[in-house]
Amino acid sequence: MTLLDISRYTLDLPDGTRLLDGVSLSVAAGETVGLVGESGSGKSLTARSVIGLQPRGATTTGSVRLDGREVLGAPVGDLLTLRRSSAGMVFQDPRAGINPVRTIGDHLTETLRLVERRSAADAEARAIELLRAVRLPRPEDHLRQYPHELSGGMLQRVMIAGALTSSPRLLICDEPTTALDVTTQAEIIAVLGEQRATRGMGMLFITHDLNLAASICGRVYVMNAGRIEEEGDARQVFRDPQAPYTRRLVAATPTIAVAQPAAAGTAADATTDVAADAAPAPHPPVDTAPHVDLSPPVDLMLDVRSLSKTYRMHGKPPVHAVVDATIEIARGGALAVVGESGSGKSTLARMIVGLEAADAGDILVDGAARTGVPRSRAERLAHSRSVQMVFQDPYLSLDPRIPAGRAIEDALRLHSTLSTRDARTRVLDLLEQVGLGERHAPARPRTLSGGQRQRVAIARALAIEPDVLVMDEATSALDVSVQAQVLDLVARIRRERGLTVLFISHDLAVVRRVCEQTVVMRNGEIVERGATAALLEQPQHPYTRLLLDSVPRPDWDLDALAAIDRTEGIPA
Amino acid sequence: MTTFRRVAGKLGALLLTLFLASVLVFFSRFLVPGDPISFLLRGRKPSPEAVAQVTAQYGLDLPPWQQYLNWLAGILHGDFGRSLQFRQDVSVVIGERLPVTLGLVIMAGTMIAVVGLIAGAIAALNRGRVLDRAVLVGLTVLGAIPSFVGSIVLIAVFAVQLGWFPSFGSGEGFWDTVYHLVLPSIALAIVFVVLIGKVTRSSMVDQLGREHVEVATSRGLTRGTIIRRHVFRNAIGPILTVSGLLVAGLLVASSIVEAAFGLAGIGSLLVQSVDRLDFPVVQAIVLLIVSAFVVVNAIIDILEPWIDPRSAAGAGAR
Amino acid sequence: MTTPTMAVKVLRAPRVRRGNISFNLSLAVLAVMTLAAVFAPLIAPYDPDAVDFAAIYSGPTPAHWLGTDALGRDTLSRMIFGARTALLGPLLVVVSSTIVGILLGLLAGWRGGWIDSVLGRIFDVIFAFPALLIAIMAVALFGKGLVAPVIAMSIAYAPFVARLTRTLVASERSRPYVAAYRVQGFSGGWIALRRVLPNVTPIVGAQSTLNFGYVLAELAALSFLGLGVQAPTADWGAMINEAQAGLMGGYFLPAIVPAMAVVIVVVAVNVIGEELSDRIGGGIPA
């Protein structure tokens, strides 16, 4: 039976902008349907429309039928009924989605008490039951807690429990795991799958992650610019995309599978497999134990020895952000540091670029000591010529007031005595190298897209001609197609300049595309290291295995994942 | 952090601020060049006995820090010194006039809260519409009417032209006093309404755009419930903070209104004492106003975790 | 934030682009007032202090457009001359408090640590003294007039500017673009003065514009209380003070004219300040 039936749904803003254009999709009871697209594709808007959350003043045509009733133009009373009984929604960011000044218990029992008029005790019993269903450890205690006392993953379970209070027939999930770490994502997905199965709900799952959609959905719809580009069996679409947009999307999507899907050939910019392409790895192959190899191999460019950093906050237990970390990169090599949030990977990067002082250990770049925060002018300049960094969020890492060309020129002129004219020429040269042009030079960051900004950031780093380039989650804020382009750019620069790269990332699939060597960090410690391909194929450390198992892929076995005991076998 | 430790910390900060404020108030006198006797007895023709008496009373022959400690010790016992113009204890002079000012401030404060909250809420719930614009324009105009302008306009229209309200004095008995204070408190309230109105509006608009409101909507709660439980409840924090800041402004501005309406409150006493060079009274009133402000804000600060549970954990308000 | 809801977010907070009529009108009002203040002797029809007992409490007539006061002085002329003190005082206060406040705020926000704590504590204490109260105290100490109150109010307003600057600078300092400058090898001082300061100054400046209105009203209040500008000098607050006696007799004009002048200028300044805040605030990512 069809729960949700959207047909030829079009939405226009008052100013005439068409955000959705003839969208048709359906979800049947017991079915999981994916809605995949990049930012701005209209997927979230479509999902919100199902429960009548259109933007104010928008005009709509077509129909959105939920549980047999028309949503578009429905009176407020009908909408309330639909929201109370037919559909529940799980939003992306539980931190923003749960009222921070009210308790978890209040959030869960609110609708039960105010809408279903249940008694406080009755509502609380039901809330505890739901919290148990989403596998929270101490339901009774959680009821009295405030959102800020729970982790993101736990809060997302609360959000799911909240959506389930009304026993909806359709559960809409809008990027429910995007803000979470990959292992937490796997747990949440498992909970969602379990609840969908036991309740026989239909599920509409919105995501930007094609791998995730292919892993858990029966059917998927691929959206782009307000239109449905393709629909069909999830794995079929993933393996053999028909629409040109879907092909590009699939090609751009990194995967941890060592054999690339066949579709890769149709990529817009032929994606380069850096691991095979770049300088051959001079490292000894697999070195799985986290011990320190003291015999230095040939020509180390970056040599980090036993680096440690502990944060001591007043009145709180000390946080060991980085513990005895040793990494080495040969000249022209690329090393990935992989870990989840809180693993210490970013602190490691910040110490290497001189933004934070290490408590212990040494950093050598091309043989020169670069430990500590540089003080004098000479130290600063020397340090920055040794290491440059590209930051995660291109929206924040460029000065909003400074035009792109000027930003690069500033960096150039700090490190050289070029005449204004030569500097200008060099700026244009650098912009060209990163795939931008003269017209981008006078542009303020605000007017550039995310990908363009990240290119400017890379050009700015290259202007200084550093020995080592650190990329701290440099592509994780970008859409996959843009990410693919930036990764290609990095690969090209490595080829052309023999640049040494330290690549910090949470995403194993991206790492596989960029780096020949990888270390895995957890709670400040390096738990495994080795050649990327070997590490992905035969992970030695249980945590690496867990990370790999948590990455969604079409042949994902959620039950097996749920069976892995997360607490044992992984030294904390 | 435990509640006890947090409250103790806040109280410590409160005492420190009060101490520093008292130091400022006391030692401000030393900014004036020349000898303290001629400063204190400016504009008077003191007899040698009077000079000797004032010198002894203020311990002007003692070192400054000793003078300060004596002064502070006196204040802690309720002794603010003697008024030069009334030849009475400052505490008595102030005590007689405090009720009028308190009445004025309470009435004005109530008006500000009621009008400001309603106007702000109406604007927020109609954001972007004509009603929102109208309320904002109204608030901006009200915010540009200082108390003295409000006073003379109200006197001209409602006291002189229409004769509905008295324009002078504070009346006898409770209801008469309230009646007498209607125009003064309106004059006092006008300029401050805009602050509460605008913070209410912006705070509620901020919450209305938050995802937790959307989540509440998606769960089928009615608009009224959402506005009450999620929008307004979350908007209280900033409103309360601004309200705390108003306290000092109200107390000071009451001097203008009291002067305009001939009310015998501490505001008009302050002005009169400045005019008549009665420095001990000035010092006492300044310290009183400052202390009231600091204490009210400390209370609001201490209440904060009940308004926003995140602040207790030091997670920072977002 | 990652992918999804950019469009939804933009739509969720509909922004009304205010018509610029009120903004331009306010600029015009302020320009006229400034010109009137500067060229008062050329514009004013009468000497502001010229007493004319033949024309006491004259209503609006062709000879006296806005009437005369209890001494037969021309209200329009006095209003025009009154614009001088009315505008000059706030200008001095706003300029000096802004400069001092920005420097202290930059110091506190950029350096952090104990400097921040100490300055923060000092600001907290000064906050407890409302500007008008500090001005009244200054008069009590140094005598009537505008000099002491203007200095006192500069001190009173500087912490507001400093705190705002501090908050903005501290938040800028934690932004990745500042870290990026550091990694490129720029010195902290250069980043603070050449990059962060210009980024926060427009916001602080817009806020200071709003302070102008408050200061104007407060200095006028001081004169109204008889503690600021002294009679017979033409000043809006002092004019209202002098005209109070006439109110009971139904002679409203000598009081209402300067009162309206205060209101109109404050409205104009606030409209300009708010519009500037809106425009500038919109350009910088929060």
Side-chain angles (χ1 to χ4, degrees), chain C residues 43-276:
Chain C
I43 298 168
Y46 293 89
D47 177 344
D49 302 327
V51 173
D52 180 2
F53 291 112
I56 288 169
Y57 285 137
S58 137
T61 63
H64 300 283
W65 290 1
L66 297 177
T68 60
D69 65 8
L71 298 175
R73 294 175 296 192
D74 181 54
T75 308
L76 176 63
S77 301
R78 289 181 69 72
M79 191 196 81
I80 291 173
F81 272 88
R84 299 185 140 189
T85 49
L87 297 180
L88 184 62
L91 187 68
L92 291 174
V93 171
V94 166
V95 168
S96 54
S97 65
T98 304
I99 292 173
V100 173
I102 284 183
L103 291 178
L104 290 178
L106 185 64
L107 182 67
W110 189 258
R111 295 296 297 272
W114 67 269
I115 294 182
D116 189 22
S117 312
V118 170
L119 283 176
R121 175 59 55 193
I122 294 173
F123 296 159
D124 273 352
V125 174
I126 300 179
F127 276 130
F129 293 81
L132 186 55
L133 190 67
I134 297 195
I136 289 176
M137 265 200 73
V139 173
L141 291 166
F142 300 102
K144 294 173 183 175
L146 269 196
V147 179
V150 162
I151 295 172
M153 290 186 66
S154 303
I155 296 171
Y157 273 95
F160 285 95
V161 181
R163 186 122 97 179
L164 175 63
T165 311
R166 183 214 163 276
T167 310
L168 293 170
V169 168
S171 98
E172 292 295 294
R173 192 174 66 138
S174 64
R175 294 248 166 107
Y177 84 82
V178 169
Y181 279 131
R182 284 191 192 282
V183 171
Q184 285 164 58
F186 290 101
S187 71
W190 184 89
I191 303 170
L193 292 172
R194 300 289 300 277
R195 288 296 177 260
V196 170
L197 187 60
N199 281 351
V200 304
T201 305
I203 304 175
V204 178
Q207 197 59 43
S208 286
T209 312
L210 290 171
N211 288 347
F212 189 99
Y214 293 118
V215 179
L216 191 152
E218 280 160 346
L219 287 177
L222 208 61
S223 297
F224 169 78
L225 292 172
L227 303 178
V229 176
Q230 296 297 299
T233 311
D235 172 275
W236 296 347
M239 285 166 75
I240 300 172
N241 184 21
E242 288 178 77
Q244 261 183 300
L247 278 184
M248 293 303 142
Y251 303 114
F252 299 148
L253 215 48
I256 295 294
V257 168
M260 285 307 120
V262 170
V263 173
I264 287 168
V265 172
V266 174
V267 168
V269 169
N270 286 354
V271 167
I272 292 170
E274 275 166 27
E275 178 70 24
L276 288 180

Side-chain angles (χ1 to χ4, degrees), chain B residues 48-87:
Chain B
E49 300 88 74
V51 169
Q53 193 205 336
V54 170
T55 305
Q57 189 188 340
Y58 289 93
L60 294 178
D61 42 1
L62 296 171
W65 62 269
Q66 192 87 50
Q67 291 181 38
Y68 169 74
L69 287 185
N70 290 347
W71 177 74
L72 192 64
I75 287 173
L76 294 179
H77 291 95
D79 173 14
F80 288 84
R82 274 183 81 77
S83 158
L84 300 170
Q85 54 178 327
F86 299 104
R87 302 182 182 287

Side-chain angles (χ1 to χ4, degrees), chain A residues 62 80 199 201 213 272 304 376 383 515:
Chain A
L80 287 181
R199 291 163 184 268
M201 293 184 296
T272 336
V304 174
S376 70
H383 203 135
C515 302

Side-chain angles (χ1 to χ4, degrees), chain B residues 6-93:
Chain B
R6 201 182 57 80
V7 172
K10 299 274 183 205
L11 286 179
L14 165 71
L15 289 178
L16 182 61
T17 308
L18 281 180
F19 166 71
L20 292 173
S22 74
V23 167
L24 269 184
V25 170
F26 181 81
F27 286 98
S28 63
R29 178 154 66 74
F30 293 81
L31 290 172
V32 183
D35 109 80
I37 289 285
S38 50
F39 170 73
L40 281 173
L41 299 179
R42 268 179 310 178
R44 297 178 175 79
K45 292 205 181 75
S47 59
E49 300 88 74
V51 169
Q53 193 205 336
V54 170
T55 305
Q57 189 188 340
Y58 289 93
L60 294 178
D61 42 1
L62 296 171
W65 62 269
Q66 192 87 50
Q67 291 181 38
Y68 169 74
L69 287 185
N70 290 347
W71 177 74
L72 192 64
I75 287 173
L76 294 179
H77 291 95
D79 173 14
F80 288 84
R82 274 183 81 77
S83 158
L84 300 170
Q85 54 178 327
F86 299 104
R87 302 182 182 287
Q88 272 182 309
D89 280 348
V90 173
S91 52
V92 174
V93 177

